[in-house]
Amino acid sequence: MSFRIASSPHQHNQKTTSQLMLWVVIAALPAIAVQSYLFSYGVLVQLALAITTAWASEALVLMMRHKTILPRLKDHSALVTAVLLAVSIPAYAPWWLVVIGTAFAIIIVKQLYGGLGFNLFNPAMAAYVLLLIAFPVQMTQWLPPASLHQHALGPLDAFCAVFSQVSCQGISLEQLRQGIDGITMATPLDTVRTDLSMGLNLPESFEKPVFQSGIGVGWFWLNLAWLLGGLILLQQKVIQWRIPLSVLGSLACCSLIAWLLNPDTNLSPLFQLFSGASMLAAFFIATDPVSASTTAKGRIYYGILIGALVFVIRSFGGYPDAFAFAILLANMSVPLIDYYTRPRTYGHKAQKGRS
């Protein structure tokens, strides 16, 4: 008998890596369906482009490294990266945006470091930050939800809009971003940030049609769908509770304190938790078994750090939704977190400064 040491991800259950990754995709299906309904068929076009690019990029690098291709493609890690990146970008972003991002995630962030189990950063979030910094205009052109659309789009319109930025009916992307009142719309978090910078307070900002009962139209239901998917992952023991609970708890506590101090300029905990990518990041991205902390206590500190960073960046930074930056910063902190939260070896006394 031989003892084989394998790279991460390590999971204490009977599922293989391929099964774990497939469960992530399955759990994401309800949210993908809701997002497609809210933002039309462009979401599906982006998914198809991202998945195709991810598989092609992975196969190309594996061929150059003289590795067997099919078994490694069947671990579905590239599929998960493609799905998470595709749902994070605007539905009608130009086709080359998702292609560049997915290729960067697979070739540079994942394969350049040795493949699955060796990447220091979450590939999808590293690619997202690259696209956000390099192409800020294209990455912030979200369409209003379906209930606020001025123009109805079919599957063929979505295909044309992604590849030419103009629908088959000749409607430009800027026209597609206009709501039923003819006003160009942004995401709820971006709308709030812009209004606060212009001297408005939150009650005045919430009078806009993109909001409903203090929560952005559509985004509340989208986050509920990601929450449902996260509960599926917990039930299947694909992820553990420590990271998502710590992320959401930290964000909620920071938001609650600020909101109680000044509710006119600080978003409520409910708004913070059910806007942007809160549930997606907490359950599907921060829990990445490769780039996240590996110790029990470390996962809690890791989640708390992400939640606190998200609140700080959302409140004082230049980007409305801060999860990508927060997760990458936390990824850099993982070696230090794991070092100081290593469990004590049986029979040894705990050293000062370690748990």
Side-chain angles (χ1 to χ4, degrees):
M1 295 180 63
S2 61
F3 181 73
R4 185 173 66 90
I5 300 177
S7 62
S8 56
H10 303 296
Q11 295 286 344
H12 296 287
N13 56 38
Q14 301 302 313
K15 294 183 176 65
T16 64
T17 299
S18 176
Q19 291 172 329
L20 292 172
M21 296 298 175
L22 274 181
W23 268 111
V24 173
V25 176
I26 292 171
L29 291 178
I32 291 174
V34 172
Q35 190 163 335
S36 300
Y37 171 78
L38 291 174
F39 300 106
S40 192
Y41 299 97
V43 176
L44 302 180
V45 178
Q46 301 289 358
L47 279 168
L49 284 170
I51 293 171
T52 303
T53 304
W55 283 338
S57 300
E58 185 112 313
L60 175 63
V61 176
L62 290 173
M63 182 175 62
M64 294 174 63
R65 295 177 61 197
H66 305 289
K67 302 287 186 180
T68 54
I69 297 175
L70 194 57
R72 286 172 171 81
L73 287 181
K74 286 184 176 180
D75 66 21
H76 302 305
S77 60
L79 174 64
V80 170
T81 297
V83 170
L84 295 179
L85 180 60
V87 299
S88 300
I89 67 175
Y92 291 97
W95 64 271
W96 48 263
L97 195 74
V98 70
V99 170
I100 291 174
T102 307
F104 175 82
I106 299 299
I107 297 174
I108 305 298
V109 185
K110 180 185 177 184
Q111 289 294 339
L112 194 63
Y113 283 91
L116 179 64
F118 297 96
N119 48 284
L120 301 178
F121 302 101
N122 184 287
M125 291 299 95
Y128 179 90
V129 168
L130 168 76
L131 295 176
L132 188 60
I133 294 175
F135 311 104
V137 175
Q138 291 83 358
M139 285 292 289
T140 54
Q141 290 183 333
W142 286 86
L143 265 66
S147 60
L148 300 177
H149 272 181
Q150 187 180 30
H151 306 281
L153 295 177
L156 190 57
D157 289 312
F159 184 85
C160 294
V162 170
F163 281 90
S164 66
Q165 299 296 281
V166 178
S167 73
C168 296
Q169 305 170 20
I171 303 172
S172 67
L173 184 64
E174 187 61 30
Q175 291 173 305
L176 293 175
R177 292 184 62 221
Q178 293 179 356
I180 54 178
D181 56 358
I183 299 175
T184 300
M185 306 188 70
T187 64
L189 286 171
D190 197 20
T191 300
V192 167
R193 171 172 295 280
T194 301
D195 290 347
L196 290 177
S197 66
M198 296 174 61
L200 301 177
N201 56 33
L202 289 181
E204 293 171 334
S205 181
F206 286 163
E207 294 177 358
K208 295 187 175 181
V210 71
F211 298 104
Q212 184 178 10
S213 302
I215 303 293
V217 174
W219 290 90
F220 175 79
W221 298 107
L222 180 57
N223 274 277
L224 277 183
W226 286 115
L227 174 59
L228 173 62
L231 295 178
I232 293 174
L233 294 180
L234 289 172
Q235 190 273 331
Q236 291 294 320
K237 297 183 180 179
V238 175
I239 63 174
Q240 297 182 5
W241 59 268
R242 291 178 179 85
I243 290 178
L245 185 62
S246 300
V247 170
L248 299 177
S250 175
L251 178 59
C253 289
C254 294
S255 305
L256 179 61
I257 294 172
W259 182 64
L260 291 175
L261 291 175
N262 191 351
D264 287 337
T265 58
N266 292 294
L267 295 168
S268 68
L270 184 64
F271 192 103
Q272 293 272 20
L273 294 177
F274 288 94
S275 290
S278 297
M279 296 298 169
L280 165 63
F283 287 97
F284 287 82
I285 300 176
T287 54
D288 175 23
V290 177
S291 57
S293 178
T294 57
T295 67
K297 287 184 179 179
R299 291 188 180 104
I300 295 176
Y301 298 143
Y302 174 79
I304 291 174
L305 176 62
I306 291 175
L309 286 172
V310 168
F311 171 77
V312 170
I313 298 174
R314 280 184 177 182
S315 301
F316 308 105
Y319 296 93
D321 199 353
F323 267 102
F325 293 97
I327 289 173
L328 293 183
L329 290 171
N331 288 162
M332 289 189 286
S333 306
V334 163
L336 186 64
I337 294 174
D338 283 352
Y339 178 80
Y340 283 103
T341 58
R342 288 184 300 181
R344 178 168 58 91
T345 306
Y346 181 75
H348 290 206
K349 292 182 179 181
Q351 298 183 17
K352 186 176 181 182
R354 301 180 186 174
S355 58

